[in-house]
Amino acid sequence: SAIVSATTLAPPAQGQCPCSLWPANATPLLASDPDAQAVELGVRFTSDASGTVTALRFYKGSGNTGAHVGHLWSATGTLLGTAIFTTETATGWQQASFATPIPLTANTPYVASYFAPVGRYAVDDAYFTLPRDQAPLHAPASSASAGNGVYLYSPTGGFPTQTYQASNYWVDVVVTTPQGVRGDLDGNG
């Protein structure tokens, strides 16, 4: 898997690629949960278009300290890439780029996650009772067969598969699609 250190960068603009699930001004209802256990937190997503995942993002509250490591997984738990968050700000969106962009296949489920060594993660309960659609990216609604807003309690992290109340843990991806494929997918962009 690709490993790289990266600094906090400005998130991409919405409606064009590079694309993300959430805009730069999106914020959680609870920026820093009181849960202080080490945990891997993630989001299931798909893309309408093939392309590459160039970076991972997560929203950081003031209590979410320590070294953060991001992961991109296949839907079955194969680790596709690792990115290390460095030079983080105290709060807000953090971003780390992969050394080599990771290929993304259209309409294929993936999981983007990050490891929070002291917990205190951002969370909105019941967020994924509905899907999050920011074309070409989609985070499906949580279901009995495939929950969204996934986590794994572990001192070292790992593939997150558990869910709780369709919670959103504010994990995001940065995807680049071929020239001419835009977030609005109307063919005019």
Side-chain angles (χ1 to χ4, degrees), residues 20 32 50 90 112-113 130 142-143 146 183 185:
S20 288
S32 192
S50 293
S113 67
L130 298 172
S142 195
S143 69
L185 293 182

Side-chain angles (χ1 to χ4, degrees), residues 7-160:
T7 58
T8 302
L9 303 172
Q14 293 298 302
Q16 60 184 339
C17 287
C19 304
S20 288
L21 288 163
W22 288 277
N25 62 353
T27 58
L29 292 175
L30 182 59
S32 192
D33 191 273
D35 179 4
Q37 298 181 68
V39 63
E40 184 96 17
L41 303 150
V43 62
R44 294 182 192 277
F45 73 97
T46 62
S47 175
D48 295 328
S50 293
T52 57
V53 178
T54 59
L56 297 175
R57 302 170 62 214
F58 77 95
Y59 192 92
K60 179 181 177 182
S62 60
N64 189 348
T65 60
H68 297 102
V69 179
H71 302 102
L72 182 66
W73 311 87
S74 72
T76 57
T78 300
L79 182 62
L80 304 174
T82 299
I84 300 170
F85 294 87
T86 60
T87 319
E88 294 180 19
T89 58
T91 61
W93 285 104
Q94 312 298 313
Q95 181 169 316
S97 297
F98 292 106
T100 302
I102 298 169
L104 180 75
T105 303
N107 304 310
T108 300
Y110 295 90
V111 174
S113 67
Y114 81 100
F115 179 63
V118 298
R120 309 283 189 203
Y121 46 84
V123 62
D124 284 12
D125 291 340
Y127 187 97
F128 286 118
T129 56
L130 298 172
R132 168 69 181 169
D133 296 311
Q134 185 68 35
L137 299 175
H138 307 279
S142 195
S143 69
S145 62
N148 208 350
V150 290
Y151 68 91
L152 172 70
Y153 282 108
S154 165
T156 57
F159 182 56

